[in-house]
Amino acid sequence: MRKTVKALELLNLHGLCHIVDVPQSTAENWIEEFNVYIPKAEKQDVIYYHPEAIDVLKFIKQCKNQNYKKASIKKMLGDRSFMVTKKSSIEDVQSALDQGNYKDNILTVMQTIGKTVANVASQEKSITAVKEQQDKQKKRIKMIEKQTEKINDLKQEINELKQERTTSDYKIKKEAFAKLFE
């Protein structure tokens, strides 16, 4: 579903339109209609779009090709987990509220908040699971360290026994050789 972007590259509107393969006027309309879901950044009074905007616009394009209405597309966008940067989403929500479309905007904001809370809860569960695995790994490492220490002690003991055996074999042979010449 999602493409992995290795480096964060901001796109201008022209580049975004080229990638999504839609006319610039169409993209402008979609960005205005679905601004809460399209991550963007403003640098020196120029608006750039995060790579995640590609997936959102492609999804909108697919929905529009299937004749979905704006409200349905907003609901579907709210149900999907597109990445929205915190700063841009807060600015977009504030801008949308300032425009006066309160009912649609409140519904969209509530859906976005609901998805965010669900994602946070899911991530908390994942973090807890990772911490549990980490604790188990730490216990295994301690056990392996103890076993390694025991193995090293046993190796040292074996070497000492070999040394004693060599020494006692030498004494026995020496005594046997001495008895021969008596």
Side-chain angles (χ1 to χ4, degrees), residues 29-144:
N29 289 337
W30 292 351
I31 290 168
E32 186 178 321
E33 289 177 2
F34 305 101
N35 61 355
V36 173
Y37 301 101
I38 301 172
K40 60 187 172 225
E42 191 172 335
K43 304 275 185 193
Q44 300 173 347
D45 296 330
V46 177
I47 296 174
Y48 295 97
Y49 300 91
H50 291 263
E52 294 82 8
I54 296 168
D55 292 334
V56 177
L57 288 177
K58 282 184 176 182
F59 180 77
I60 293 169
K61 179 181 177 182
Q62 180 183 7
C63 291
K64 290 284 189 177
N65 288 339
Q66 296 175 5
N67 297 321
Y68 282 100
K69 301 288 182 208
K70 178 181 172 181
S72 298
I73 296 171
K74 278 189 173 185
K75 182 173 179 0
M76 287 187 283
L77 283 169
D79 291 340
R80 293 181 60 118
S81 52
F82 288 109
M83 197 148 150
V84 179
T85 58
K86 180 181 171 187
K87 183 179 179 189
S88 67
S89 64
I90 290 171
E91 290 169 355
D92 291 342
V93 168
Q94 186 60 45
S95 149
L97 288 174
D98 291 343
Q99 292 174 2
N101 300 334
Y102 295 108
K103 288 182 181 179
D104 286 343
N105 292 333
I106 289 174
L107 175 64
T108 302
V109 169
M110 294 305 287
Q111 289 173 341
T112 304
I113 289 171
K115 283 294 179 184
T116 302
V117 169
N119 286 341
V120 168
S122 173
Q123 289 176 358
E124 285 176 349
K125 288 178 184 176
S126 297
I127 289 171
T128 302
V130 168
K131 284 183 179 179
E132 289 173 2
Q133 286 179 337
Q134 188 179 23
D135 289 342
K136 287 179 183 177
Q137 293 292 341
K138 285 179 182 178
K139 287 178 183 177
R140 287 182 187 144
I141 289 171
K142 284 182 182 180
M143 186 176 71
I144 289 170

Side-chain angles (χ1 to χ4, degrees), residues 8-20:
L8 178 64
E9 296 177 6
L10 298 177
L11 304 163
N12 62 18
L13 183 60
H14 178 73
L16 190 60
C17 293
H18 178 72
I19 293 169
V20 179

Side-chain angles (χ1 to χ4, degrees), residues 148-161:
T148 303
E149 189 177 322
K150 273 186 176 180
I151 289 170
N152 288 336
D153 289 346
L154 289 172
K155 283 181 179 178
Q156 185 177 351
E157 189 176 326
I158 288 171
N159 286 335
E160 289 172 1
L161 288 171

